[in-house]
Amino acid sequence: MAIKWGTLGVTQEGLGAKELLMKYFTNVSVLLGLCLYALSSVTWIFAVAKVDLSKAYPMVAVGYVLVFICSYFLFNEPISTIKIAGLITIVAGVIMISQS
């Protein structure tokens, strides 16, 4: 989310790829997002070391739910019936997998 937030503040018009990358990688929100991404990767390493992969991996889907909700409230992204159906399918699948 922080990466998305940071990219919204960068003007892309008239910039080449090099200049655009420099703007992105000097943006505080983008840098924060990258640090949080690295932290989540480290957390994932510790999680899979302790929990069966078949149980841990479906929990990644919780991120889809959080992104769906936050994208609506933070970025005013539209919600459609098909997106809600997909979200329900993901949640149902995670519940079914976690029952075993």
Side-chain angles (χ1 to χ4, degrees):
M1 304 273 178
I3 293 173
K4 171 72 173 178
W5 198 269
T7 60
L8 292 175
V10 174
T11 305
Q12 298 181 7
E13 295 177 26
L15 295 178
K18 184 179 178 180
E19 293 84 12
L20 187 57
L21 283 174
M22 286 303 295
K23 278 196 157 194
Y24 283 146
F25 287 106
T26 56
N27 182 290
V28 174
S29 294
V30 172
L31 293 173
L32 173 64
L34 291 172
C35 289
L36 291 172
Y37 187 76
L39 181 62
S40 74
S41 296
V42 171
T43 304
W44 178 247
I45 291 168
F46 285 111
V48 296
K50 299 284 183 188
V51 179
D52 290 341
L53 192 58
S54 62
K55 297 252 184 194
Y57 212 85
M59 295 306 129
V60 171
V62 173
Y64 296 128
V65 176
L66 294 174
V67 167
F68 179 83
I69 293 167
C70 290
S71 65
Y72 174 74
F73 288 109
L74 296 176
F75 303 113
N76 298 315
E77 292 185 6
I79 292 179
S80 66
T81 306
I82 194 75
K83 287 181 182 178
I84 292 172
L87 193 66
I88 290 169
T89 303
I90 290 169
V91 171
V94 169
I95 290 170
M96 285 188 274
I97 289 173
S98 68
Q99 297 299 312
S100 58

